């Protein structure tokens, strides 16, 4: 568990942008659970954070000065240059994206209209090839990604079964429009999940969005209909495994039922962002995409906000407001 | 194990085709291991055989009389009306396909240019999205499907690692052009397979064609490169499991490596047949698609040919010549 003493603050002079660079004043920054994973010195799909270097993370801000032909003062941009109040650099190196003026609150671009939202969108629509009328099962349905999955699937005309742990989270998932909610703590393991899924949808499921792995994945394979698609987004049930995890014993069903199980990472699907923004700009003002956020004020609160992720200090997306 | 007494022969009058029907004289029929599976009374993707009804199976023959506008006398056709010397009926109900005159031996349409061949072709090219330069791993590489997978992958400019059991089968796989052959009986389980795969391809694999399941699948996941694709065709290691099979314990790797695992059945990909025939008609005469077959003569030998599948009586595809 990270401690306040693990964090430091440094003040540096902000310089004018050189040719091809922009200067950005951040307005919001994100803290996310995945950042804890980047504090391990191990091989992964993103390199670990380096001690003494500034933390990276999602941020939204406005261009304050530009020496880049594609950007002008006042442009709203997202970047991976979080944990800073301002920065100067080449937009390409900072993974900058210009954000559309579609009437969304700026902070939404770090949550429901940002990376967690795009994860849900790309996973459902591309990886799981969602079709109208599908029966969709999503685990971790009360989380940032899962709660967006529930609502996208409902907006696309699907039947949704969400699983979450405990009555409060289950009530939240129900409030998002899920047709059936399974409290996995009450269901009790593989057999209980299969029973609950069969009660919710006797004919089986067409899509499974996996945030959890373990028994949830095995149960999804068990009740999958022929040609079902499974988007594997995370397997939180296995993150803290110390022994050898147990794989899905019924994987052979994938042959006869012609199932597709596909893992994915959101950055691979960045090309879907324009369509994603357009849909979010329709859904959010229409009340068809609810989201919650917890806001802390000022860069000095960033470590507290981050550590609060692991003590349940947040409801919905945890954010730091920088201006 | 089926016994001769389980089979019977019946002679019926062959009638002239009515409107929309054709009369076909079969020249070759196929016996296949999957037919044993259809002798169990259980739910599957094809219904079980019925006692007293004629067995179904692949056959190749020529139209002897036609009352269907799309067929004329002499047309070469495949159908699922095997275990018969002749038949009359609607071609649509018999899954009839007109076979192209591309210079292939007729019997090849029941093997390398038939269902096992199309299984290899569709699994590699569509399900596993084969690209030139891929490192391809195939298990069961000495079998009817696996040996075709090896050769298609080589013809498409890939590096091929095949696994098979015992020195004779391994030598056969090597003779087909595989770059590396793993004797899984010598490798000894998951760790041994991983070691052998890493020796064959230190950078990992891009495609896995699974005929076996079990440790082979788990090892393939372990050494898969990012974005690798796995076509799940059969899991023979699990067919005779009596207890609960063991699933791949490392399935979580599918997320970070963005793996795709997809089961398939050949009939779903029947639309690929024209391209498949065209490629086979190029490869077979050029010596780039070797195949072996064992032929028994006459319909009376059909039970013996079928039972011989389970005693190793065949090298390559087992066929019955009917004329």
């Amino acid at each position: 568990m990270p401690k306040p003493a693990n964090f430091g603050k440094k003040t540096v002079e902000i310089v004018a942008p050189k040719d091809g660079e922009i200067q950005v004043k951040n307005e919001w920054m994100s803290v996310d659970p995945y950042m804890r994973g980047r504090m391990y010195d191990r091989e992964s799909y993103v390199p670990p954070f380096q001690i003494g270097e500034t933390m990276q993370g999602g941020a939204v801000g406005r261009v304050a000065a530009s020496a880049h032909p594609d950007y002008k003062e006042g442009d709203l941009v997202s970047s991976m240059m979080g944990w800073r109040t301002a920065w100067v650099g080449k937009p390409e190196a900072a993974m900058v994206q210009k954000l559309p003026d579609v009437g969304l609150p700026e902070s939404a671009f770090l949550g429901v209209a940002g990376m967690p939202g795009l994860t849900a969108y790309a996973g459902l629509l591309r990886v799981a090839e969602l079709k109208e009328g599908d029966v969709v099962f999503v685990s971790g349905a009360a989380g940032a990604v899962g709660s967006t999955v529930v609502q996208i699937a409902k907006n696309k005309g699907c039947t949704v079964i969400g699983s979450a742990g405990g009555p409060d989270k289950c009530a939240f998932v129900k409030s998002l429009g899920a047709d059936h909610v399974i409290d996995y703590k009450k269901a009790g393991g593989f057999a209980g999940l299969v029973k609950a899924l069969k009660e919710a949808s006797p004919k089986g499921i067409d899509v499974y969005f996996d945030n959890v792995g373990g028994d949830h994945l095995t149960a999804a394979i068990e009740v999958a209909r022929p040609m079902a698609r499974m988007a594997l987004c995370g397997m939180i049930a296995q993150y803290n495994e110390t022994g050898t995890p147990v794989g899905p014993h019924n994987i052979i069903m994938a042959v006869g039922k012609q199932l597709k199980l596909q893992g994915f990472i959101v950055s691979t699907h960045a090309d879907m962002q324009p369509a994603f923004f357009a849909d979010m700009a329709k859904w959010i003002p229409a009340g068809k995409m609810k989201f919650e956020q917890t806001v802390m004020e000022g860069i000095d609160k960033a470590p507290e906000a981050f550590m609060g992720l692991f003590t349940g200090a947040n409801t919905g997306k945890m954010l730091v407001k920088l201006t």
Side-chain angles (χ1 to χ4, degrees), chain A:
Chain A
M1 182 74 193
K3 295 180 295 286
N6 298 134
F7 296 85
K9 192 171 92 165
K10 207 168 136 187
T11 304
V12 294
E13 201 62 34
I14 190 97
V15 295
K18 288 194 281 282
D19 200 35
E21 291 184 342
I22 58 177
Q23 190 196 84
V24 174
K25 197 160 184 315
N26 281 341
E27 302 190 347
W28 295 87
M29 59 168 273
S30 176
V31 291
D32 298 278
Y34 79 83
M35 295 170 173
R36 180 67 189 84
R38 290 190 64 188
M39 293 172 177
Y40 291 102
D41 189 16
R42 64 178 173 198
E43 206 185 334
S44 182
Y45 58 92
V46 280
F49 289 131
Q50 298 299 307
I51 292 169
E53 298 291 318
T54 309
M55 296 266 291
Q56 290 178 304
V60 163
R62 286 196 186 271
V63 175
S66 175
H68 189 292
D70 298 344
Y71 296 86
K72 60 177 198 300
E73 209 184 306
D75 281 351
L76 190 68
V77 294
S78 68
S79 73
M80 282 306 285
M81 301 295 270
W83 299 75
R84 291 166 174 85
T85 54
W87 59 276
V88 176
K90 286 192 202 300
E92 297 80 7
M95 298 180 69
V96 165
Q97 300 201 295
K98 238 191 272 198
L99 297 174
D101 184 11
V102 286
L104 293 176
E106 292 172 10
S107 62
F109 289 110
L110 290 173
V112 71
M115 200 179 68
L118 183 58
T119 301
Y121 192 84
L124 263 186
L125 301 189
R126 180 176 285 166
V127 181
E129 303 168 69
L130 191 77
K131 292 189 304 281
E132 196 184 322
D134 278 344
V135 176
V136 176
F137 173 42
V138 51
S139 55
V145 174
S147 61
T148 313
V149 168
V150 169
Q151 296 177 84
I152 294 173
K154 285 310 300 174
N155 291 344
K156 294 284 184 182
C158 297
T159 300
V160 176
I161 308 166
S163 82
D168 289 352
K169 286 186 177 178
C170 285
F172 173 61
V173 174
K174 190 82 189 163
S175 78
L176 298 174
D179 300 277
H180 307 274
V181 183
I182 296 171
D183 184 342
Y184 72 83
K185 289 182 177 171
K186 259 171 63 185
F190 169 72
L193 283 168
V194 168
K195 185 167 170 284
L197 283 163
K198 283 188 173 169
E199 279 166 15
S201 179
K203 287 184 175 172
I205 62 169
D206 302 292
V207 163
Y208 174 50
F209 194 107
D210 189 21
N211 291 306
V212 165
D215 285 336
H216 274 83
L217 177 57
T218 313
I221 292 170
E222 195 75 15
V223 303
R225 299 172 72 171
M227 313 302 289
R229 293 85 61 201
M230 308 201 174
L232 311 181
C233 180
M235 298 196 182
I236 209 159
Q238 295 185 16
Y239 288 174
N240 298 311
E241 285 272 0
T242 47
T244 303
V246 174
H249 67 262
N250 53 3
I251 186 74
I252 193 173
M253 287 184 167
V255 180
K257 296 206 249 186
Q258 305 192 70
L259 308 183
K260 183 179 85 164
L261 286 75
Q262 188 167 359
F264 74 104
I265 294 168
V266 61
S267 53
T268 301
H269 305 282
D271 61 294
M272 295 184 79
Q273 205 145 32
F276 166 66
F277 285 146
D279 274 337
M280 283 293 166
K282 262 190 319 192
W283 292 332
I284 293 172
K288 295 170 87 173
M289 185 58 63
K290 294 168 198 156
F291 59 99
E292 296 191 42
Q293 50 190 36
T294 299
V295 176
M296 299 211 178
E297 304 250 350
I299 186 103
D300 291 336
K301 293 274 192 174
E304 187 185 331
F306 175 65
M307 290 180 291
L309 291 172
F310 304 103
T311 56
N314 58 309
T315 306
K317 183 81 188 87
M318 177 74 98
L319 295 168
V320 179
K321 192 171 187 319
L322 298 172
T323 53

